[in-house]
């Protein structure tokens, strides 16, 4: 009973698996605690208990040491390195212009009234303005370089359409007469505007025309 109680007290302090418990008990059962009959009287029983207790102490010490190693082990360096892109937040279109070194204006001809607007300077060469409100979302981008698709949109669309607005050729992408993405450029910059609910070809012409007139 003493041996069993000692085992249970130690096990309460240790977090071991069922397999580890099984190995400990198996070792105790195989241990040779028997002594000659002449020596079993008097101190024989005490020696048996002391030997069993010593065995438990040794096993407990080993488990505590292993437990410490498990807890202090630190993961090695990951093969996948997370690279954070160079994106800076701005408070307005003017602040965005100052960060990038070229003029950036708000898209004031959206088909909804924005409740929230976020300004970001990306990689020192692209302005990104995100508009949200009335359950709608719009994402406008302007970047250095002509003839580039800076939308970051790699979706496959059912239909594309081209229209001419002022000096610019605009490519529309969408489905069944509703277009959610417009991409265009001038001599120095590339532009894109995506609308969550989309717009018709005529509506897109008005949106982009109003923006170009303010340039």
């Amino acid at each position: 009973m003493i041996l069993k109680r000692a085992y249970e007290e130690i096990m309460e302090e240790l977090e071991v698996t069922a397999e580890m418990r099984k190995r400990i008990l198996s070792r105790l059962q195989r241990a040779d605690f028997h002594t000659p009959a002449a020596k079993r009287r008097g101190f024989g029983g005490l020696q048996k208990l002391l030997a069993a207790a010593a065995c438990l102490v040794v096993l407990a010490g080993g488990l505590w040491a292993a437990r410490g190693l498990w807890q202090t082990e630190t993961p090695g360096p990951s093969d996948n390195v997370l690279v954070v892109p160079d994106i800076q937040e701005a408070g307005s279109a003017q602040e965005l212009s100052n960060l990038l070194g070229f003029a950036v204006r708000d898209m004031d001809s959206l088909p909804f009234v924005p409740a929230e607007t976020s300004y970001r300077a990306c990689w020192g060469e692209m302005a990104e303005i995100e508009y949200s409100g009335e359950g709608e979302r719009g994402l406008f981008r302007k970047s250095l370089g002509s003839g580039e698709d800076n939308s970051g949109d790699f979706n496959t669309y059912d239909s594309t359409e081209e229209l001419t607005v002022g000096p610019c050729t605009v490519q529309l992408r969408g489905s069944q007469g509703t277009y959610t993405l417009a991409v265009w450029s001038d001599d120095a910059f590339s532009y894109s505007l995506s609308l969550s609910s989309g717009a018709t070809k005529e509506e897109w012409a008005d949106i982009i025309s109003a923006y170009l007139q303010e340039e």
Side-chain angles (χ1 to χ4, degrees):
M1 294 298 293
I2 296 176
L3 179 60
K4 181 180 179 182
R5 185 163 57 252
Y7 167 79
E8 290 176 348
E9 289 176 356
I10 292 175
M11 289 301 104
E12 287 177 358
E13 299 296 327
L14 296 176
E15 295 179 6
V16 296
T17 65
E19 183 180 353
M20 294 169 66
R21 290 176 183 269
K22 183 177 180 181
R23 286 202 302 269
I24 293 171
L25 289 173
S26 177
R27 290 188 181 183
L28 290 175
Q29 290 172 355
R30 291 197 305 268
D32 184 12
F33 298 128
H34 296 288
T35 56
K39 296 182 180 180
R40 277 204 296 264
R41 297 185 182 90
F43 293 103
L46 178 59
Q47 289 175 343
K48 178 178 178 179
L49 290 175
L50 290 175
C55 181
L56 282 174
V57 170
V58 172
L59 289 173
L63 290 172
W64 275 113
R67 184 184 180 188
L69 290 174
W70 295 333
Q71 291 179 339
T72 58
E73 183 179 358
T74 55
S78 173
D79 293 332
N80 300 320
V81 178
L82 178 62
V83 179
V84 179
D86 182 13
I87 298 178
Q88 294 176 276
E89 298 286 339
S92 65
Q94 182 58 55
E95 187 176 337
L96 197 54
S97 301
N98 296 337
L99 287 173
L100 292 168
F102 58 82
V104 181
R105 290 188 304 100
D106 272 299
M107 177 67 67
D108 295 325
S109 52
L110 294 170
F112 63 92
V113 179
E116 295 183 7
T117 305
S118 300
Y119 301 89
R120 291 180 284 268
C122 306
W123 310 290
E125 61 181 22
M126 183 175 75
E128 179 179 272
I129 308 177
E130 184 176 0
Y131 304 94
S132 60
E134 301 179 355
E136 305 288 340
R137 177 180 177 271
L139 185 66
F140 172 68
R141 286 178 169 179
K142 177 180 180 179
S143 60
L144 290 170
S146 180
E148 302 291 335
D149 181 353
N150 64 8
S151 67
D153 187 338
F154 301 102
N155 292 316
T156 300
Y157 292 91
D158 293 337
S159 60
T160 60
E161 185 84 27
E162 284 192 354
L163 70 154
T164 301
V165 182
C168 301
T169 299
V170 182
Q171 184 184 76
L172 302 178
R173 303 172 192 171
S175 175
Q176 299 179 347
T178 300
Y179 303 95
T180 56
L181 177 66
V183 179
W184 71 97
S185 63
D186 56 25
D187 293 337
F189 299 96
S190 296
Y191 305 81
S192 66
L193 174 62
S194 63
L195 299 174
S196 57
S197 295
T200 65
K201 181 178 178 179
E202 292 74 19
E203 289 170 335
W204 273 111
D206 292 339
I207 293 169
I208 297 172
S209 177
Y211 178 80
L212 294 179
Q213 288 175 8
E214 296 176 4
E215 282 284 311

